[in-house]
Structures are given as C-alpha cells and as structure tokens.
Amino acid sequence: MAKLLVINTDGGARGNPGPAGIGLVIKDDKGELLYSHGAYIGETTNNVAEYSALIKALEESVNLGGTTLRIQMDSELIVKQMQGIYKIKQPVLQELAAKVISLLKKFDGYTFVHVRREFNKEADAQVNKALDEHLA
C-alpha cells in the first residue's frame, strides 16, 4: 500500500563554514507529525548541512515505511541539483548527492519542491535549537 510522507528539511551554518546544524520534520499525508529531529553536525558549510539534513530525513523515511515522498526544502540550490537543473561541481556535494540518490532508489516515487523559508519554519526551528544548545 502506498504511503506518502511529506518531508521538510533544513540545514544551516553560523558563518559559512561555521558551527552547523540540521533539522527535519516528517509528516503523513494528513499532516500528522511522525518524526522531528535537530542535531549539531560540527563545523561545515550551509550546503553540506542542507544535504546532511536531507540524508537523515531519507533514512528515517525508510524506517517509517514511506513509499512516496514529497520533499520540501528552502534550499533552491539543492532542489535544483536534485531535479538535474543545476550541475553539482563541488566534490563533497557530489558525494552527498550520490548518497541521496542511492537512498531515493528505496522509494517508488518522490518530488522535490522548493518552498520559501516561511513555509519551512518547523525544520528551521530544529536547526536553530540544535545550534543554540551546542553553542550555549
């Protein structure tokens, strides 16, 4: 039976590179919260943090039994890279993108959607909470 999951992910670094965190929220198709997570991931760039959040969300979506994904991110760069519109030039991002692609093969279907920051507040809050706790 098809199971749609709606994923919001965010990653951020204070300074670029700098202390970085990831945030993700996974809901079912009715908007019920299934999983949320925020974590400090060390010193890195915004883009590495964005990809790291996406990887964690995909791993959790496998655990939750998702078959179809709607992936919503406020990183236009990563959405367009995943849609094949932008080339991935940096080796570190190519490596992370390869991991994303291998995880995506575990699902029947997926859609990447670029959302404005104000529609990604829950994932963003997870990033900031993780960073605030680490830097306190």
Side-chain angles (χ1 to χ4, degrees):
M1 189 175 136
K3 182 175 178 183
L4 171 68
L5 298 179
V6 179
I7 298 170
N8 281 73
T9 68
D10 200 11
R14 294 190 181 159
N16 198 19
I22 62 170
L24 52 125
V25 176
I26 303 173
K27 296 182 178 180
D28 66 15
D29 58 349
K30 294 170 190 65
E32 289 291 315
L33 180 65
L34 302 175
Y35 182 84
S36 67
H37 176 76
Y40 174 74
I41 59 166
E43 299 267 328
T44 192
T45 65
N46 285 327
N47 291 336
V48 168
E50 291 277 7
Y51 267 112
S52 299
L54 177 56
I55 289 165
K56 176 71 173 161
L58 294 174
E59 290 168 347
E60 289 305 324
S61 296
V62 170
N63 296 340
L64 291 167
T67 57
T68 310
L69 307 178
R70 178 182 165 95
I71 303 159
Q72 303 180 147
M73 305 176 73
D74 60 23
S75 170
E76 185 176 6
L77 175 76
I78 290 170
V79 168
K80 292 208 161 148
Q81 286 178 340
M82 288 294 107
Q83 291 171 332
I85 297 166
Y86 291 174
K87 284 196 167 90
I88 306 169
K89 297 180 181 129
Q90 293 175 294
V92 67
L93 297 186
Q94 288 172 344
E95 210 173 284
L96 293 168
K99 182 147 175 74
V100 168
I101 290 161
S102 76
L103 284 164
L104 287 171
K105 289 179 180 164
K106 298 179 185 234
F107 302 96
D108 297 336
Y110 56 87
T111 311
F112 279 90
V113 181
H114 177 246
V115 294
R116 293 205 319 263
R117 185 165 281 151
E118 58 264 32
F119 297 109
N120 209 26
K121 283 187 172 141
E122 289 174 276
D124 180 63
Q126 292 289 339
V127 173
N128 284 309
K129 183 173 170 250
L131 285 171
D132 290 344
E133 286 171 3
H134 177 79
L135 298 170

